Structures are given as structure tokens and as C-alpha cells.
Amino acid sequence: MKPLIFEKNYTRDTTIMIQQIWAQALSRGLREKKGWVNPYLPMIVHFMRNGTIEIWDNTLAREWYMEKFLEENIRDESILLKSIAEYKEQLARIKTYWAKGIAETLAEFQEFLALMPDATFNFNMWYYAVINDKTPQHLLDIMLEIRKDDVFFSTTDIYISNTLKKLCPQIAGCESAVLLEEVAAIPTRAILEARLGGAALIDGFELFLGDHDTFSKKYPSYVLQSEKVAEGTTSVKGQIAFKGLVKGPVRILRRRDQVGEVQVGDIIVSPMTTPDFLPAMRAAAAFVTDEGGITCHAAIVARELNKPCVIGTKVATQVFKDGDMVEVDALSGVVRKI
């Protein structure tokens, strides 16, 4: 069998449940709603490791979907506009749950989760169009305006996390490892801790327990392709999101529970920032990310706050560690130890 190449596109401090909803909206939703059968599945592998979740995309499957979306949008752009309108209506209903902060009962939580598949499907319709550089500019402008203020993913994730802690307080700290199908009978803390130590979810359905090496042995045709850092590397290069030149100490920021550790003048080095990181970003002097493009969260916030930002370095979190003094040269796109 020809190997399927998976690239690590994101690293997030989220629940596996929100990632599972996303994956199922693609793997099952597109098949059921549009009749699209991707010949390169699985599309996504979510890997729980080091307290965060890595999102590995099958490059062929992602490109296939993006081309299908593009073909559809060019043929009849009203399909995308209708999907956006539906998403906004669905979001209005979801916001009534967000307003309470948490679900008070299991039944209420299940009602909320029942709204997620269709809303996430429509979210993905415009998400995969906005990251395709072939999307016509007039459609791209519409979607970028939505994305600028959209908090669907992050707010839903916080709601899920808080609800799980409310309904099952004995798993606090491990709620990110609970699967959708387990909300009515949440596993023991020991089971969840084992998952957090190393587990993968394939296309939102198949759970694997183990680390990268054991995963590769069980699924030899799935190649998790990542950047290698040469020993002694002291600098990285990326894309300039906002120009500037600043020096300061590194603060590695992977999870939302680390936000309070960032001090005024620190240089945030992160896989990728999210809205949860905003208080830390206001204090920091500059942002450096492994991931993301010019429309990513870090880039948008950098432009709003007028702070130097270098994105898409791929390996900054591997090269630097807490306390390293670095120079962020967001004039040349280089970040180096000093």
C-alpha cells in the first residue's frame, strides 16, 4: 500500500471531543450531505501528547476536499453563501447555551452536542474555502470578515471542558480525553490519564492508545511527517505577520493554563495562538509561532496590537526554551538566540 503522508498542521490545548466533532463533520458529514467519497481517507489523525492535541492532516485527502469545495464554489457560489447563512442561524442557537457557561445536566449537554454536527459541517464549508488561495477574492473577503470575530471552535471547547468538570468533577484535569460517545458513562480517571500520555483518534472514530512509535508500527502506511531540527540550531525563519524588532526572554505557551505565566516584555513562542491566549499576548512584546499563515490568530492579533510577529517557523518551540534571550527580527523574519 502506498504510504499516506500526514503533516502536523496545528497543536492545540483543546478537548479531544471538539476535535472529534470536527473530524466527523468531514469524514461522515461530507459523505452523507454531499455524497463525496474521498479516495485518500483517513483525512485527520488527532494525537494526544504532552497535555495538548496535535492535528495531523493527510495532505492528499485535504487537497482533494479543498479542490471539491473550490469546484463547487466556482460552479455555484450560492451554495457557500447558503451554508454561511445556515451557520449563522445555527450559531445563534448555540450561543444560548454558551451564555450559561456550562450545561447543568447531562440532558442539556446532550442537547447542545446534538447541535454541533450540522454547525461544524457548515463551519468547515467556509473554513476550507478560506485557506485555499485559489478561492475567488470576493468570496474570500466575505469569509475573512466572518473569521475575524469567529469564536465558534474555542468557545465551544471551553463550554465542553467546563461542563465535563461540572458533571464529573473527579476527572478535572483529564476532561480533554473524554470522547463524544462517553458523555453518559465517563471513563475512570486512570483510563483518561493513559490517553493523555499518548493516544490517537483517526478521523474521529478509531481510538489508538500509544505513542508515535507504536502508532507507526500498527499503521505503517500512515507516515507522520515532521520537521527535524539539527543539533545546535539557534535561529528560525518564518513569515512576517507584523514588522518590528524586539528582544526579550522566551515564554513557551502551549496551553491556556499557562497564560498567567507570561510577563510584560516576554516573547511568546507557541505552536499557534488562540483567543484564550489574548491576555498573555497583550503583555508580551512579540509573538513567534510554529504554525499558521497570514490570516491566523497570531497574525491578526499582532496587527491589532502593533506587535512584531513571525509565524510559520515550524520548529520554534523545538529550538527555544523558557528563559532563552532572543531577538525577534520581524523585518527579515528571523528569530535568533542572543
Side-chain angles (χ1 to χ4, degrees):
M1 181 182 293
K2 187 176 179 180
L4 294 176
I5 306 301
F6 290 80
E7 293 180 346
K8 188 173 71 170
N9 275 347
Y10 306 103
T11 303
R12 289 286 189 268
D13 174 19
T14 70
T15 61
I16 193 63
M17 194 178 294
I18 187 67
Q19 301 290 352
Q20 187 179 18
I21 290 167
W22 175 288
Q24 290 185 6
L26 287 172
S27 59
R28 181 168 61 193
L30 287 170
R31 183 177 66 250
E32 293 178 352
K33 294 177 181 293
K34 292 188 175 293
W36 294 354
V37 180
N38 193 316
Y40 303 109
L41 295 177
M43 181 172 177
I44 302 177
V45 173
H46 291 101
F47 224 105
M48 288 181 273
R49 193 169 68 144
N50 298 327
T52 57
I53 294 176
E54 303 166 349
I55 296 87
W56 295 80
D57 281 353
N58 176 342
T59 55
L60 289 175
R62 182 182 65 222
E63 289 166 7
W64 188 91
Y65 273 135
M66 288 174 67
E67 286 304 308
K68 291 286 284 186
F69 282 128
L70 182 64
E71 290 171 8
E72 183 178 74
N73 292 337
I74 291 175
R75 185 182 75 253
D76 185 359
E77 65 183 46
S78 69
I79 295 174
L80 177 61
L81 298 177
K82 180 182 177 182
S83 177
I84 291 172
E86 288 178 354
Y87 168 70
K88 290 180 177 180
E89 292 176 0
Q90 292 159 343
L91 188 61
R93 293 196 295 274
I94 288 167
K95 284 181 176 178
T96 63
Y97 290 84
W98 289 353
K100 295 180 64 176
I102 60 170
E104 294 289 347
T105 65
L106 174 60
E108 185 180 4
F109 190 35
Q110 290 173 322
E111 287 173 6
F112 172 82
L113 293 175
L115 298 174
M116 297 307 298
D118 287 342
T120 307
F121 176 83
N122 284 318
F123 181 98
N124 278 326
M125 285 285 287
W126 64 263
Y127 173 84
Y128 280 96
V130 82
I131 63 173
N132 190 338
D133 57 12
K134 298 178 185 177
T135 297
Q137 188 62 47
H138 68 287
L139 289 177
L140 188 62
D141 290 341
I142 292 171
M143 291 177 289
L144 285 175
E145 188 63 27
I146 298 172
R147 180 171 180 169
K148 183 176 68 174
D149 299 315
D150 193 272
V151 293
F152 172 73
F153 192 89
S154 59
T155 307
T156 295
D157 184 58
I158 292 170
Y159 180 90
I160 288 172
S161 179
N162 289 343
T163 296
L164 288 172
K165 286 185 283 189
K166 165 73 176 180
L167 297 180
C168 197
Q170 66 270 26
I171 67 161
C174 298
E175 63 279 355
S176 60
V178 178
L179 299 174
L180 270 171
E181 56 270 27
E182 297 171 337
V183 295
I186 294 176
T188 66
R189 187 178 186 89
I191 290 174
L192 299 178
E193 286 177 344
R195 290 178 188 172
L196 289 174
L201 189 65
I202 302 171
D203 266 356
F205 291 101
E206 183 180 353
L207 181 67
F208 165 83
L209 191 64
D211 59 16
H212 280 193
D213 289 340
T214 53
F215 179 85
S216 297
K217 290 175 182 176
K218 181 173 182 180
Y219 303 96
S221 62
Y222 300 175
V223 179
L224 303 181
Q225 185 170 279
S226 58
E227 294 288 327
K228 304 297 182 183
V229 178
E231 188 175 351
T233 300
T234 59
S235 67
V236 298
K237 187 173 179 61
Q239 185 177 9
I240 300 167
F242 192 81
K243 292 184 177 181
L245 181 66
V246 68
K247 300 176 183 179
V250 165
R251 179 64 63 179
I252 302 294
L253 187 57
R254 298 180 185 275
R255 306 185 309 274
R256 64 174 68 102
D257 64 4
Q258 297 173 311
V259 165
E261 298 172 5
V262 177
Q263 303 297 310
V264 173
D266 282 351
I267 308 298
I268 288 177
V269 177
S270 178
M272 180 181 280
T273 67
T274 66
D276 309 304
F277 293 0
L278 192 54
M281 297 173 79
R282 290 196 176 102
F287 322 135
V288 180
T289 70
D290 290 343
E291 304 153 3
I294 202 64
T295 61
C296 74
H297 179 264
I300 292 170
V301 173
R303 292 191 288 270
E304 290 177 351
L305 299 181
N306 298 321
K307 294 188 177 185
C309 180
V310 177
I311 57 176
T313 67
K314 297 184 179 180
V315 294
T317 57
Q318 296 180 55
V319 171
F320 306 120
K321 64 181 186 299
D322 281 343
D324 283 346
M325 289 299 297
V326 297
E327 177 185 71
V328 179
D329 183 351
L331 302 174
S332 64
V334 175
V335 184
R336 60 178 66 86
K337 291 183 184 179
I338 54 176

